[in-house]
């Protein structure tokens, strides 16, 4: 007997439903797994810092170099090193000075003081090209006292360099070579550097040209103990990138190849790298370089206070809620600070709403202003905040200004009445000695320290004020006659 099965029997129907449910369950599980994985990836991605991506650099007409800066290859310094190294140069300096040999019997009988001899000293350092037309930044201590400056590029081309200007207070100097189309390092922003950030030091330590070392930013706003009592602005970037003699004036760059500092100093008992190196922040360098290019010297704003850190003892005494700011130990009479109303025992906490952390940060912030600029100082006095408006004064000294050591400012240099020893040595009765030479007309004329001025515009001089008075009456030019430090008659002049 045959049956036509129009509907499945009960057993087969249940089995079919079971298969459908199983398929739906597997699909739901798979979708849930995908959704969970996607969610986890999104969460992880949002928690990770952004990667730097990649940088592509044109090497030649048709060649490209791409460096991956993503976290899976981090840190990669190849781009920073390769893009910056050609703009860091070797600086050779030669200084010549005259000295006298011990007098012979012949000299004794004929009244000579010995035969003058020229001595030559050679030093070296590094420099950073900042403009394609040949402007190069280096350290003041690299070129100080140099009579000849020579610059060698990474391709071994050599140029004579001229000194544009120098600033001993920040140890920054600007020199220039006669060239065009030179490689440069772009300026970065040293204020945005973070502790622990990777940096590279590039220079020529021990004459090892184009040496690259790496380290991290160890500290910011650092000062170095110094007993010279010279005015200095110190807010160094401290790193543990290896820096040795010859690195001075070289580049400190970030991992993108931007200039963030000029390597300047190390602290060491041996004279070699001992784990710490210091660089002048590029934001200070830019300010100094602009002035040296435009004026040949630095127009520096001065606040006129003596500061110290806030100790717990000071905080307790003044009932301060924190140790932030600097304690005003002394206010200079007639200074910008005094005229603004700053008083002894004030606590300076802000300059134009920017938090003050230490004395170095105050110096760095003030150095960003020009004489005549205004700012708002926030001080704590008697437990209350008080805002004071300050108009900064400058340090530029006009001819005739008497400095702290008793010398008189003279076109960027300093003069004093010749000492008894100098007069006896040179066999003269009177004269005015040039005791230091800085950027200005005297340096431009090629005059060195120790030159003794005898006549200005054919008038005999015996003290600094004689020189200043004669120059004030001059209308077009100044002609000076005198003796070099080794007794040779010499002349120089300049326009006014």
């Amino acid at each position: 007997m045959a049956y036509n099965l129009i509907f499945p029997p009960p057993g087969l129907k249940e089995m079919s439903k079971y298969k459908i449910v199983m398929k739906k369950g597997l699909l739901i599980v798979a979708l849930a797994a995908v959704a969970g994985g996607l969610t986890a990836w999104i969460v992880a991605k949002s928690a990770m810092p952004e990667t730097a991506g990649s940088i592509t650099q044109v090497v030649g007409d048709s060649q490209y170099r791409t460096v991956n800066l993503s976290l899976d290859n981090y840190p990669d310094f190849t781009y920073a090193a390769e893009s910056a190294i050609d703009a860091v140069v070797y600086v050779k300096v030669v200084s010549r000075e005259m000295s006298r040999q011990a007098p012979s019997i012949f000299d004794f009988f004929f009244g000579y003081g010995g035969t003058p001899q020229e001595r030559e000293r050679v030093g070296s350092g590094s420099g950073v090209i900042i403009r394609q037309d040949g402007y190069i930044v280096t350290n003041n201590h690299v070129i100080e006292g140099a009579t000849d400056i020579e610059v060698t590029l990474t391709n071994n081309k050599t140029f004579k360099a001229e000194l544009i200007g120098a600033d001993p207070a920040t140890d920054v100097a600007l020199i220039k070579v006669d060239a065009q189309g030179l490689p440069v390092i772009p300026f970065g922003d040293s204020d945005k550097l973070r502790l622990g950030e990777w940096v590279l030091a590039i220079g020529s330590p021990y004459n090892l040209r184009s040496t690259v070392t790496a380290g991290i930013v160890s500290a910011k706003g650092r000062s170095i103990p110094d007993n010279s009592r010279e005015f200095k602005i110190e807010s160094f970037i401290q790193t543990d990138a290896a820096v040795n003699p010859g690195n001075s004036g070289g580049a400190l760059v970030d991992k993108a190849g931007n200039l963030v500092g000029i390597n300047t100093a190390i602290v060491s008992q041996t004279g070699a790298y001992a784990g710490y190196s210091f660089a002048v922040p590029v934001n200070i360098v830019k300010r100094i370089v602009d002035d040296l290019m435009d004026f040949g010297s630095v127009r520096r704003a001065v606040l006129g206070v003596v500061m110290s850190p806030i100790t717990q003892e000071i905080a307790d005494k003044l009932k301060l809620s924190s140790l932030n700011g600097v304690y005003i130990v002394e206010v200079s009479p007639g200074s910008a600070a005094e005229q603004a109303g700053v008083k002894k025992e004030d606590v300076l906490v802000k300059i134009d709403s920017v938090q003050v952390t230490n004395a170095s940060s105050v110096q760095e912030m003030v150095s960003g202003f020009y004489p005549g600029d205004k700012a708002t100082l926030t001080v704590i006095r008697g437990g209350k905040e008080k805002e004071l408006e300050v108009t900064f004064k400058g340090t530029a000294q006009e001819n005739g200004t008497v400095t702290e050591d008793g010398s008189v400012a003279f076109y960027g240099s300093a003069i004093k009445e010749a000492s008894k020893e100098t007069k006896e040595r040179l066999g003269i009765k009177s004269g005015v000695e040039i005791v230091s030479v800085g950027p200005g007309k005297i340096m431009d004329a090629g005059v060195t320290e120790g030159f003794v001025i005898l006549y200005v515009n054919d008038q005999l001089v015996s003290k600094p004020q004689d020189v200043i008075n004669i120059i004030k009456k001059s209308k077009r030019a100044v002609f000076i006659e005198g003796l070099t430090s080794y007794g040779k008659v010499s002349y120089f002049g300049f326009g006014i």
Side-chain angles (χ1 to χ4, degrees), residues 307-326:
M307 302 169 285
S308 75
I310 305 294
T311 62
Q312 189 60 55
E313 181 181 356
I314 292 174
D316 293 341
K317 174 185 175 183
L318 301 179
K319 299 179 180 179
L320 302 175
S321 58
S322 72
L323 302 182
N324 295 330
V326 292

Side-chain angles (χ1 to χ4, degrees), residues 187-198:
F187 285 131
D189 186 349
S190 52
D191 289 342
K192 293 183 179 179
L193 280 178
R194 301 176 63 186
L195 298 184
E197 183 174 341
W198 283 101

Side-chain angles (χ1 to χ4, degrees), residues 101-115:
Q101 284 183 322
S104 62
I105 296 177
F106 179 83
D107 293 326
F108 177 78
F109 281 110
F110 286 89
Y112 295 112
T115 305

Side-chain angles (χ1 to χ4, degrees), residues 6 30 149 175 196 405 412:
I6 301 175
I149 305 173
I175 59 178
D405 63 356

Side-chain angles (χ1 to χ4, degrees), residues 429-447:
K429 294 182 179 180
S430 64
V432 177
E433 184 175 359
I434 298 177
V435 294
S436 69
V437 177
K441 295 181 183 293
I442 304 302
M443 176 180 283
D444 294 342
V447 182

Side-chain angles (χ1 to χ4, degrees), residues 56-239:
T56 301
Q57 183 184 30
V58 179
V59 179
D61 294 334
S62 59
Q63 296 181 337
Y64 295 85
R65 177 171 59 204
T66 301
V67 178
N68 189 352
L69 297 181
S70 60
L71 289 179
D72 54 348
N73 287 327
Y74 183 81
D76 185 349
F77 300 135
T78 56
Y79 174 79
E82 291 169 357
S83 63
I85 199 165
D86 287 338
V88 181
V89 300
Y90 173 75
V91 179
K92 176 183 174 182
V93 295
V94 177
S95 59
R96 297 182 179 88
E97 57 184 21
M98 300 300 296
S99 62
R100 287 184 178 273
Q101 284 183 322
S104 62
I105 296 177
F106 179 83
D107 293 326
F108 177 78
F109 281 110
F110 286 89
Y112 295 112
T115 305
Q117 268 195 336
E118 185 178 74
R119 291 185 177 180
E120 183 177 282
R121 291 188 299 175
V122 179
S124 65
S126 304
V128 180
I129 305 172
I130 59 169
R131 279 187 23 175
Q132 292 183 334
D133 55 351
Y135 283 94
I136 298 170
V137 173
T138 184
N139 284 146
N140 174 68
H141 76 261
V142 171
I143 54 82
E144 189 173 22
T147 51
D148 294 303
I149 305 173
E150 187 178 271
V151 168
T152 303
L153 308 185
T154 54
N155 60 9
N156 289 325
K157 286 186 177 180
T158 300
F159 300 88
K160 291 290 184 182
E162 64 170 323
L163 177 63
I164 301 301
D167 181 43
T170 54
D171 200 18
V172 173
L174 183 66
I175 59 178
K176 188 181 186 305
V177 298
D178 186 11
Q180 297 290 332
L182 298 179
V184 300
I185 301 181
F187 285 131
D189 186 349
S190 52
D191 289 342
K192 293 183 179 179
L193 280 178
R194 301 176 63 186
L195 298 184
E197 183 174 341
W198 283 101
V199 286
L200 303 182
I202 307 176
S204 301
Y206 299 119
N207 286 328
L208 298 172
R209 313 284 179 86
S210 304
T211 295
V212 181
T213 56
I216 62 168
V217 176
S218 304
K220 295 174 64 178
R222 188 73 85 194
S223 60
I224 302 175
D226 181 26
N227 296 321
S228 67
R229 295 185 179 181
E230 295 178 356
F231 173 72
K232 291 187 177 181
I233 293 178
E234 294 185 341
S235 187
F236 293 119
I237 301 166
Q238 180 184 324
T239 79

